[in-house]
C-alpha cells in the first residue's frame, strides 16, 4: 500500500514538475552497465551529443533489461533534479550519498576516504556500490533491504544517517530581495523596488502572477548593474485606501557544472529511473524563487468641526499624536482643544494603529467670555496718589500725616484740612487712561445724567441767551 501511494506521488510530481532543461530537446538513453556485489549495477547514460554520465538505479520495481532485447537502450530519459522527483528531504539525502561516494568519483579515492570516515579497515569498492545502492533505495523507494556483507551493512547504515545536502539547491535558486515600498506624495504614486541576481553568468528573468498594467495601471523599469537586476514598479495611488497583492517569480539558467541529476522516462515504469552527478554541458535551469508583493493602506480621517482632512497610511503603521496634530493643526477662537476622539469615543493619547480606516474627531470645550477683572495694581484706587475724592490733596502719599507746625494735632480748627497752611496747593495732573476709569466714576463736574444730556443743556442755554440779547437790542 505504501509503495502504491509513493508511486502515485511520483506520478503527480512528474506531471507537475518542470524538467531542468524543459526548453531543450536533448534526451538521454541507457548505454551499458557493470555489475557489482548483491546484483547492484553502475550504468552509463549517453546524451545526443555523446556525453556520458555514470548513474545508479533509483526505482526497485522498474526494469533495465528486456528478456529478449537485453539492456533497454531505446527509451528516452528526461532530466530532473532529485527534489523534483523525490521531494526536498529525500532528494537531499540522495544528494548526500552521491556527493560522498557517487560513481562520478575515483573509486580508489572513495574507498580510502570512507575507511577514514567510518573506521572500517577492510573495505572494497564492491561493498561501497552495494551500500550506496541500498541507501538510495531506502530514500527513493522506501526499501529496507541491506547489503549481505558486514562491512557493506555498516557502510549502508552510515549512508542513511547522513544529513541531507541541500546546499546545491540553494545555490541553484536566484537571490531575490524583499520588496521595499515608498510613497511619492507629490506625484501621488506608490513605488515598489526589488532586485534579484544569480551565480556569475546567469541568465535571469521575472514574471508576475497578475497583469500589473490592467489590474493596477502600473508600469515597471529595469536596469542591470554587475549582474544584479533592479526593478521598480510604479503604481498610481487612485484612492487613499488601497490593496496591492501579487507575486513575482524569478527564474533562469546558470552556466554548466556538476550537479545531482535524475533521469526519468516520460512513461513511468517503462524503464527504471536513474540518479547520478554529472555535467550536462549546457546551461542549467535554476529553481525559481517567488516573493510576495503586498501593499495595503488605510485612510486616516480627521474631523475638525466643518473641516475634514484625509491622509493615507500603510497597514500596521502607527501614526503618532504629534503627526496627527501636524496633519491637522487644531484650535479655534473661543474654544479650548481637549484632544482627539477615536471611533470608540476614547481620547487618543499616543497615536493610532492603522489596521483599518480610522476616524478621529476633534474635541473642544467652550470658553465662557466674561469681563476679566484687572489685577489690583492695574485698577484705579479709591484715592489715587493719595488724593481725597472731595478735593483734599493734603495727603499725597495716602498715609496718615505725622503732624505739621501749623497744625500740630493734624486737625483743622475750622474743620477744613484742605489748606492747612493757608496757601494755594499746587495743582496735580491726575490724568488716567480711559481704560483705567471705571464706567460709573464721576469726575465731579459732569451730572449723573451723562455727557450727552449735559451737552444738550449747555447748547440750548447758549442759544436762548444769544436770542434774548438780540431781541432786547432790536428796536420796537
Amino acid at each position: 500500500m505504501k509503495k502504491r501511494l509513493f508511486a502515485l506521488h511520483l506520478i503527480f510530481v512528474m506531471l507537475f514538475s518542470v524538467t531542468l532543461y524543459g526548453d531543450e530537446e536533448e534526451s538521454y538513453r541507457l548505454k551499458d552497465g557493470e555489475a557489482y556485489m548483491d546484483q547492484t549495477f553502475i550504468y552509463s547514460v549517453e546524451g545526443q551529443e555523446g556525453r556520458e554520465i555514470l548513474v545508479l538505479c533509483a526505482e526497485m520495481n522498474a526494469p533495465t533489461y528486456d528478456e529478449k532485447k537485453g539492456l533497454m537502450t531505446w527509451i528516452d530519459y528526461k532530466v530532473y533534479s532529485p527534489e523534483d522527483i523525490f521531494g526536498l528531504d529525500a532528494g537531499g539525502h540522495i544528494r548526500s550519498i552521491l556527493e560522498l561516494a557517487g560513481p562520478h568519483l575515483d573509486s580508489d579515492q572513495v574507498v580510502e576516504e570512507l575507511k577514514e570516515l567510518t573506521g572500517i579497515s577492510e573495505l572494497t569498492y564492491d561493498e561501497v556500490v552495494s551500500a550506496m545502492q541500498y541507501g538510495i533505495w531506502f530514500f527513493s523507494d522506501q526499501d529496507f533491504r541491506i547489503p549481505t556483507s558486514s562491512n557493506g551493512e555498516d557502510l549502508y547504515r552510515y549512508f542513511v544517517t547522513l544529513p541531507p545536502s541541500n546546499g546545491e539547491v540553494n545555490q541553484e535558486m536566484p537571490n531575490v530581495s524583499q520588496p521595499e515600498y515608498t510613497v511619492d506624495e507629490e506625484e501621488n504614486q506608490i513605488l515598489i523596488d526589488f532586485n534579484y541576481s544569480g551565480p556569475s553568468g546567469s541568465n535571469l528573468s521575472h514574471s508576475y502572477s497578475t497583469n500589473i498594467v490592467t489590474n493596477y495601471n502600473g508600469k515597471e523599469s529595469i536596469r542591470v548593474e554587475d549582474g544584479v537586476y533592479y526593478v521598480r514598479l510604479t503604481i498610481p495611488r487612485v484612492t487613499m485606501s488601497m490593496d496591492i497583492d501579487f507575486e513575482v517569480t524569478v527564474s533562469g539558467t546558470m552556466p554548466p557544472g556538476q550537479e545531482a541529476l535524475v533521469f526519468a522516462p516520460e512513461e513511468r515504469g517503462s524503464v527504471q529511473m536513474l540518479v547520478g552527478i554529472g555535467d550536462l554541458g549546457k546551461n542549467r535551469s535554476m529553481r525559481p524563487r517567488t516573493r510576495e508583493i503586498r501593499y495595503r493602506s488605510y485612510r486616516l480621517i480627521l474631523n475638525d468641526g466643518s473641516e475634514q482632512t484625509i491622509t493615507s497610511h500603510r497597514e500596521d503603521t502607527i501614526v503618532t499624536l504629534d503627526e496627527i496634530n501636524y496633519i491637522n493643526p487644531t484650535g479655534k477662537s473661543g474654544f479650548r482643544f481637549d484632544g482627539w476622539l477615536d471611533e470608540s469615543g476614547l481620547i487618543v493619547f499616543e497615536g493610532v494603529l492603522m489596521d483599518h480606516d480610522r476616524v478621529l474627531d476633534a474635541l473642544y470645550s467652550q470658553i465662557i467670555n466674561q469681563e476679566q477683572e484687572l489685577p489690583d495694581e492695574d485698577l484705579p484706587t479709591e484715592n489715587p496718589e493719595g488724593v481725597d475724592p472731595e478735593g483734599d490733596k493734603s495727603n499725597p502719599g495716602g498715609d496718615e500725616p505725622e503732624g505739621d507746625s501749623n497744625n500740630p494735632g493734624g486737625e483743622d480748627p475750622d474743620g477744613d484740612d484742605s489748606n492747612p497752611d493757608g496757601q494755594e496747593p499746587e495743582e496735580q495732573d491726575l490724568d488716567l487712561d480711559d481704560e483705567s476709569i471705571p464706567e460709573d466714576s464721576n469726575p465731579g463736574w459732569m451730572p449723573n445724567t451723562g455727557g450727552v444730556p449735559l451737552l444738550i443743556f449747555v447748547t440750548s442755554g447758549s442759544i436762548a441767551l444769544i436770542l434774548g440779547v438780540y431781541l432786547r437790542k432790536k428796536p420796537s
Side-chain angles (χ1 to χ4, degrees):
M1 183 65 180
K2 290 184 178 179
K3 290 187 177 180
R4 197 172 295 171
L5 291 175
F6 181 70
L8 289 174
H9 170 72
L10 291 182
I11 293 173
F12 178 82
V13 172
M14 288 288 293
L15 288 174
F16 291 94
S17 294
V18 178
T19 62
L20 289 173
Y21 312 95
D23 56 341
E24 302 175 12
E25 297 298 327
E26 184 176 13
S27 60
Y28 289 77
R29 290 184 178 181
L30 272 173
K31 183 179 179 182
D32 53 33
E34 183 177 353
Y36 289 84
M37 192 180 85
D38 295 331
Q39 294 185 335
T40 58
F41 293 83
I42 291 180
Y43 293 99
S44 173
V45 293
E46 184 178 27
Q48 294 171 345
E49 296 181 355
R51 181 176 289 101
E52 293 186 19
I53 297 174
L54 298 176
V55 292
L56 294 167
C57 294
E59 192 174 11
M60 284 291 303
N61 298 322
T64 54
Y65 282 87
D66 182 83
E67 293 181 358
K68 295 181 178 180
K69 298 181 180 180
L71 188 65
M72 301 173 65
T73 60
W74 57 88
I75 296 178
D76 290 335
Y77 285 109
K78 294 296 182 183
V79 184
Y80 302 83
S81 74
E83 288 72 25
D84 286 335
I85 301 298
F86 306 113
L88 186 62
D89 184 66
H93 282 288
I94 292 174
R95 279 180 183 272
S96 296
I97 297 172
L98 292 174
E99 289 172 356
L100 182 61
H104 64 292
L105 300 172
D106 180 79
S107 58
D108 292 336
Q109 185 176 351
V110 167
V111 171
E112 293 303 319
E113 289 182 355
L114 288 176
K115 284 181 179 180
E116 185 176 349
L117 287 172
T118 62
I120 303 174
S121 58
E122 301 293 332
L123 187 64
T124 66
Y125 191 65
D126 274 70
E127 291 172 321
V128 172
V129 173
S130 174
M132 181 166 48
Q133 179 64 84
Y134 286 128
I136 290 173
W137 280 335
F138 176 83
F139 293 106
S140 68
D141 220 13
Q142 294 183 326
D143 186 82
F144 298 97
R145 73 184 66 189
I146 59 176
T148 56
S149 72
S150 176
N151 288 342
E153 180 179 351
D154 291 341
L155 185 58
Y156 160 81
R157 297 188 186 281
Y158 177 78
F159 280 149
V160 297
T161 56
L162 289 172
S165 172
N166 294 314
E168 188 175 344
V169 178
N170 295 332
Q171 293 174 3
E172 292 179 354
M173 296 181 69
N175 299 314
V176 185
S177 70
Q178 291 287 354
E180 296 182 357
Y181 308 89
T182 55
V183 178
D184 185 344
E185 298 288 353
E186 184 176 345
E187 298 293 334
N188 203 27
Q189 296 173 335
I190 298 171
L191 307 178
I192 304 173
D193 294 284
F194 65 92
N195 64 76
Y196 57 88
S197 61
S200 177
S202 300
N203 184 18
L204 304 176
S205 62
H206 66 276
S207 60
Y208 302 111
S209 60
T210 187
N211 191 318
I212 64 171
V213 177
T214 57
N215 286 278
Y216 301 106
N217 197 25
K219 60 180 182 180
E220 73 170 5
S221 60
I222 306 173
R223 60 183 176 88
V224 183
E225 294 182 5
D226 299 327
V228 181
Y229 295 72
Y230 295 91
V231 183
R232 165 166 286 188
L233 300 178
T234 303
I235 298 178
R237 186 172 62 175
V238 294
T239 61
M240 292 295 189
S241 183
M242 288 192 67
D243 189 1
I244 300 171
D245 193 355
F246 58 92
E247 291 182 340
V248 57
T249 300
V250 179
S251 58
T253 60
M254 58 190 298
Q258 295 284 326
E259 56 187 316
L261 306 169
V262 178
F263 296 88
E266 292 184 0
E267 182 183 351
R268 293 307 312 279
S270 60
V271 67
Q272 186 172 156
M273 290 189 299
L274 305 167
V275 294
I277 289 182
D279 181 355
L280 298 179
K282 295 183 179 180
N283 286 344
R284 299 171 287 168
S285 293
M286 302 182 70
R287 296 173 60 83
R289 172 164 286 177
T290 300
R291 291 285 190 194
E292 183 182 26
I293 293 179
R294 185 175 184 273
Y295 177 90
R296 177 172 290 174
S297 62
Y298 295 106
R299 294 179 300 164
L300 175 62
I301 303 174
L302 303 177
N303 293 320
D304 189 358
S306 60
E307 297 181 358
Q308 187 178 81
T309 304
I310 301 177
T311 54
S312 176
H313 302 272
R314 191 177 175 192
E315 183 182 33
D316 293 334
T317 58
I318 295 178
V319 185
T320 66
L321 189 58
D322 290 340
E323 291 175 313
I324 294 171
N325 291 331
Y326 178 80
I327 295 171
N328 190 111
T330 55
K332 55 183 178 179
S333 178
F335 293 85
R336 181 180 63 247
F337 175 69
D338 293 329
W340 293 97
L341 294 181
D342 65 8
E343 305 91 335
S344 303
L346 301 176
I347 294 181
V348 176
F349 290 103
E350 296 182 355
V352 293
L353 175 65
M354 298 304 298
D355 54 359
H356 61 280
D357 285 345
R358 304 301 302 263
V359 180
L360 304 182
D361 294 295
L363 177 64
Y364 291 93
S365 58
Q366 188 172 7
I367 300 175
I368 300 175
N369 289 324
Q370 295 179 339
E371 291 184 3
Q372 298 182 358
E373 296 181 0
L374 295 175
D376 293 342
E377 62 269 13
D378 294 332
L379 288 174
T381 61
E382 293 182 359
N383 187 12
E385 300 295 334
V387 179
D388 193 313
E390 297 181 357
D392 182 8
K393 303 173 183 176
S394 62
N395 187 13
D399 299 328
E400 287 293 328
E402 297 178 358
D404 188 274
S405 59
N406 296 325
N407 187 11
E411 297 181 356
D412 190 347
D414 297 331
D416 182 10
D417 57 357
S418 63
N419 190 8
D421 49 353
Q423 298 179 357
E424 288 292 328
E426 295 180 3
E427 292 189 7
Q428 299 181 8
D429 293 334
L430 299 177
D431 294 336
L432 296 176
D433 294 338
D434 293 339
E435 296 178 356
S436 300
I437 300 175
E439 293 183 359
D440 58 348
S441 63
N442 185 354
W445 55 270
M446 182 180 293
N448 288 334
T449 56
V452 174
L454 177 62
L455 182 60
I456 296 173
F457 173 77
V458 174
T459 303
S460 300
S462 300
I463 294 174
L465 180 61
I466 295 171
L467 183 60
V469 172
Y470 174 77
L471 292 178
R472 291 184 60 183
K473 290 183 179 181
K474 186 178 178 180
S476 54

